[in-house]
Amino acid sequence: MQFSNSAELAKAIRLKSLEMVYNAKASHIGGALSMADILAVMYFDILNINPSDPLQPTRDRFLLSKGHACTGLYAALGLKGFFPVDDLNTYAQDGSIFLSHTSHYIPGVEISAGSLGHALSVSTGLALAAKRKKKEWKTYCLISDGELNEGSNWEAILFSPQHQLDNLILIIDYNKIQSFGKVENVIQLEPLKDKLVAFNWDVFEVDGHSHEELRNVFANCNNSTIKKPKAVIAHTTKGKGVSFMENKLLWHYKSPDKDQFEQAKSEILSIC
Amino acid sequence: MRTAFIHQLIEEAKTNDKIFLLVGDLGFSVVEPFAEQFPERFLNVGIAEQNMVGIAAGLAMEGYCVYVYSIGNFPTLRCIEQIRYDVCYHNLNVKIVAVGGGYAYAALGPSHHATEEVGMLRTIPNIVICTPGDPAEAKAITTFSARYSGPCYIRIGKAGEPTVHTKQTFLEPGDILPVIESTADIAVFSSGAMLKYSFDFISENNVNSSLYSFPFVKPLRKAQLISLFKKYKRVITIEEHQLNGGFGSVILEELNNFSETEEIIKTVKVRRIGIPNKFFSIAGSQEYLRKAASIELKKEFFTQENRN
Ligand SMILES: Cc1ncc(C[n+]2csc(CCOP(=O)(O)OP(=O)(O)O)c2C)c(N)n1
Ligand SMILES: [Mg+2]
């Protein structure tokens, strides 16, 4: 499918995710919508990838750690042509490879996730391998805010600057909600930027729904000569793009009924 | 089973002010009634299972009876060393509760298939392994665990499973529950949530077989098990777990021990049904995944006469 800009891709990702969740009566639409703009910019403007050769050795690696938001990634990959978009109609059905958490059996998916707090350590290993093998490709890892409760992430955050992994870009989908409460009420992350700076990362903060800010920040990450891993704190809204889903914990679980689906669809279509 | 568990835990907490519930950022629309009634004995510790089990150990050292609640592999494999060393080695009063045992969350993929944890946990000393088969057993196990002092693992399914037992059950560690008693020389030993399936299979197909539910994998009541081995020539074990090291393995080990000590001198054939040491990376319903993993009973298992 051809898109003329990342905004069109973002809209299509949102619609497709919504459709998959609706048809399968599945959960986790909120977290798919919060990262839709990040995915659109990554897959439209940033990543060096080839849909017809998903395992090309020189490709950039993009690892989605919050595997529950798989519909967003599947949509992005299908729309980019990694597989026929219609394959997504089988999402979560008997026998389908499209599991309700990311699966590495799907072309373009670098890692199976779903247990939170795994992919950043793996990304760190990839970045280390690129360094040792003197390769130019970058490793991008998108994690959730809730996931920063996991100690494993902080182990990777300690490790990466030690080995000057400036080819590693961590993106945090900071939508302020986790599974059973607001981030600030469960495990407060603030001051998040100061924490990452203190851990010796090169840290950027952006509006995770502004494509321009996202494009600029990734360009800055890639042009930077500072020998530190990069962290992009992307401030987002869980459920972004559908008014009645925005900032609502319920939409971590709930699947839209027919009326809600129609309304959500028309709201997404009206985003310009 | 999930509902039976939380209801019974609330009942126990009303009369036992030591009961404390920790959740790993889970339990939406399940644990709220507990949190509302006992706010001082409830905490969402966040998505941090290793820390959660460590916290539970500390609370237990100070006299609390701590329940730790999360999905499948997260309160088990993710923090298995904290379970082994902090909880079990110190023999602390911590109950690990996993919802979504086996393929209860089938479509969510291997991250959510809890299909190895019984085998891993049962090798650890001091821990009691509980695998209730229906809401009645889940209730009885909750009561047992609240009154028992020491580490327990409780594997529960999801919400909405039908109840198989018609009588109120109370459980002592190791109890084996007769569900169908027939005159045939064959019996199905069902572990955990396979109970309803096994019950329906035997009833709907008019199969002449007994059925026993095993709400525990460890310990097992020795005298009761010996009497079952004496009674039957053939046993079929069924579990929603890897065959390696799971419930069927336990039965084989026990049988072997009994023949070594000559408490059993006849031959009992055991057919084990479980997962053939494979990951299943396909979506589908729980029934679909069970079938794909060959967790199913077949009529011929029962008609085949002993070839002796
Ligand atoms: C190790 C682990 N523990 C618990 C869970 C259950 N779980 C699924 S999503 C989620 C949290 C959702 O919030 P967040 O991580 O912030 O994701 P987002 O808001 O981006 O959807 C939890 C606790 C899990 N998948 N993995
Ligand atoms: Mg979040």
Side-chain angles (χ1 to χ4, degrees):
Chain A
M1 228 167 271
Q2 286 304 311
F3 296 93
S4 48
N5 56 50
S6 61
E8 279 180 13
L9 180 57
K11 189 184 277 195
I13 291 173
R14 286 196 162 89
L15 282 174
K16 204 76 216 164
S17 304
L18 186 73
E19 206 178 285
M20 288 157 77
V21 166
Y22 171 67
N23 287 332
K25 297 190 170 41
S27 299
H28 304 143
I29 185 65
L33 293 175
S34 71
M35 66 173 189
D37 294 300
I38 300 169
L39 289 177
V41 171
M42 293 296 309
Y43 279 92
F44 191 83
D45 295 297
I46 307 295
L47 293 175
N48 171 26
I49 41 162
N50 180 357
S52 54
D53 187 7
L55 294 175
Q56 200 169 57
T58 55
R59 73 191 185 282
D60 287 332
R61 274 56 164 177
F62 176 78
L63 282 75
L64 180 67
S65 191
K66 38 174 277 185
H68 59 277
C70 59
T71 54
L73 181 63
Y74 295 165
L77 293 171
L79 293 162
K80 282 295 286 185
F82 280 84
F83 46 80
V85 182
D86 285 349
D87 288 3
L88 295 174
N89 298 338
T90 69
Y91 174 67
Q93 304 304 312
D94 285 353
S96 171
I97 59 165
F98 292 94
L99 301 168
S100 292
H101 285 90
T102 47
S103 164
H104 66 285
Y105 289 99
I106 295 165
V109 178
E110 298 281 356
I111 189 171
S112 287
S115 176
L116 294 166
H118 283 249
L120 183 58
S121 295
V122 178
S123 300
T124 304
L126 290 171
L128 183 64
K131 285 275 173 202
R132 292 289 157 94
K133 301 200 298 186
K134 302 201 172 14
K135 303 293 181 196
E136 289 301 309
W137 49 266
K138 309 272 195 231
T139 302
Y140 295 84
C141 182
L142 175 54
I143 70 170
S144 66
D145 45 11
E147 233 179 326
L148 279 173
N149 299 171
E150 289 285 3
S152 54
N153 277 325
W154 293 96
E155 294 175 23
I157 290 168
L158 277 166
F159 175 90
S160 306
Q162 176 73 27
H163 298 280
Q164 300 185 358
L165 301 180
D166 55 358
N167 54 351
L168 173 66
I169 297 117
L170 164 65
I171 308 149
I172 301 163
D173 180 2
Y174 198 179
N175 60 26
K176 322 291 188 293
I177 299 182
Q178 44 192 93
S179 268
F180 200 23
K182 289 186 180 168
V183 170
E184 62 175 346
N185 296 334
V186 181
I187 299 286
Q188 173 66 283
L189 296 176
E190 291 300 326
L192 183 55
K193 181 170 186 187
D194 294 351
K195 283 190 178 107
L196 294 168
V197 168
F199 276 62
N200 229 354
W201 284 60
D202 192 11
V203 188
F204 303 83
E205 226 167 342
V206 295
D207 171 353
H209 300 302
S210 160
H211 290 217
E212 197 187 335
E213 282 189 36
L214 286 165
R215 262 189 291 277
N216 288 340
V217 84
F218 292 126
N220 289 340
C221 286
N222 287 328
N223 296 332
S224 166
T225 51
I226 301 172
K227 296 245 158 292
K228 290 180 181 181
K230 326 283 182 237
V232 176
I233 301 172
H235 293 279
T236 56
T237 301
K238 204 157 172 166
K240 177 73 180 181
V242 178
S243 58
F244 60 90
M245 291 183 180
E246 288 187 1
N247 288 316
K248 296 267 183 348
L249 178 67
L250 183 66
W251 291 98
H252 185 73
Y253 302 94
K254 203 175 147 57
S255 187
D257 63 23
K258 180 124 191 22
D259 289 348
Q260 289 165 330
F261 172 64
E262 293 303 337
Q263 191 192 333
K265 218 160 82 172
S266 72
E267 285 192 26
I268 291 169
L269 283 168
S270 69
I271 304 173
C272 32
Chain B
M1 281 198 247
R2 203 173 65 183
T3 324
F5 159 73
I6 196 71
H7 283 166
Q8 195 53 32
L9 191 65
I10 290 170
E11 287 311 307
E12 297 295 329
K14 284 179 186 163
T15 55
N16 178 353
D17 65 3
K18 298 293 182 212
I19 290 178
F20 206 119
L21 174 61
L22 300 178
V23 300
D25 204 34
L26 280 163
F28 179 76
S29 80
V30 178
V31 301
E32 289 86 346
F34 187 100
E36 279 154 25
Q37 288 182 60
F38 314 105
E40 291 301 312
R41 293 187 274 139
F42 172 82
L43 197 60
N44 176 8
V45 301
I47 314 165
E49 295 77 12
Q50 299 182 47
N51 197 36
M52 175 160 69
V53 173
I55 294 167
L59 288 167
M61 283 174 179
E62 288 300 318
Y64 285 104
C65 168
V66 192
Y67 283 76
V68 160
Y69 178 94
S70 184
I71 288 180
N73 296 316
F74 311 141
T76 53
L77 307 196
R78 185 59 177 264
C79 44
I80 201 155
E81 206 195 23
Q82 279 79 6
I83 295 173
R84 174 182 180 270
Y85 205 55
D86 303 336
V87 172
C88 294
Y89 184 47
H90 294 83
N91 208 5
L92 294 170
N93 201 11
V94 173
K95 324 293 169 183
I96 309 287
V97 181
V99 286
Y103 292 129
Y105 294 124
L108 303 195
S111 61
H112 286 63
H113 297 166
T115 46
E116 293 83 24
E117 92 293 6
V118 167
M120 295 189 193
L121 290 168
R122 83 172 183 90
T123 62
I124 303 175
N126 290 344
I127 193 166
V128 172
I129 310 284
C130 313
T131 52
D134 77 344
E137 287 185 20
K139 180 174 182 230
I141 285 288
T142 309
T143 301
F144 152 74
S145 66
R147 296 168 192 192
Y148 171 86
S149 179
C152 292
Y153 169 56
I154 305 176
R155 176 199 239 220
I156 52 189
K158 45 190 179 184
E161 298 100 334
T163 300
V164 174
H165 293 285
T166 46
K167 286 186 296 220
Q168 174 106 4
T169 6
F170 295 97
L171 291 169
E172 299 284 338
D175 276 352
I176 301 164
L177 302 176
V179 184
I180 298 173
E181 283 180 288
S182 91
T183 50
D185 63 1
I186 186 162
V188 173
F189 289 3
S190 169
S191 177
M194 294 314 301
L195 177 58
K196 172 71 177 153
Y197 167 82
S198 307
F199 180 81
D200 287 349
F201 184 89
I202 293 172
S203 323
E204 287 163 16
N205 293 293
N206 289 322
V207 167
N208 196 9
S209 168
S210 296
L211 171 65
Y212 294 85
S213 182
F214 284 64
F216 295 88
V217 167
K218 181 185 137 184
L220 289 179
R221 196 173 278 264
K222 186 177 163 184
Q224 202 182 354
L225 197 54
I226 290 177
S227 75
L228 295 182
F229 284 135
K230 287 192 171 151
K231 193 163 173 189
Y232 299 103
K233 281 192 189 150
R234 290 179 295 155
V235 162
I236 298 175
T237 66
I238 186 162
E239 63 194 301
E240 202 170 11
H241 186 276
Q242 300 287 346
L243 286 171
N244 291 3
F247 169 69
S249 297
V250 172
I251 296 300
L252 284 180
E253 289 165 21
E254 294 287 355
L255 179 60
N256 185 67
N257 291 343
F258 299 149
S259 47
E260 218 178 354
T261 54
E262 297 185 357
E263 284 160 289
I264 297 286
I265 41 174
K266 64 184 244 228
T267 306
V268 182
K269 287 192 173 171
V270 179
R271 178 195 288 269
R272 292 179 304 140
I273 298 174
I275 305 167
N277 212 222
K278 267 177 71 179
F279 289 114
F280 286 87
S281 312
I282 42 169
S285 65
Q286 184 170 23
E287 291 64 40
Y288 183 86
L289 261 277
R290 281 178 176 177
K291 220 178 175 122
S294 8
I295 307 177
E296 52 182 347
L297 293 168
K298 293 190 175 145
K299 274 190 179 173
E300 68 246 35
F301 298 169
F302 298 88
T303 51
Q304 257 173 23
E305 260 317 303
N306 237 340
R307 284 194 216 96
N308 299 343

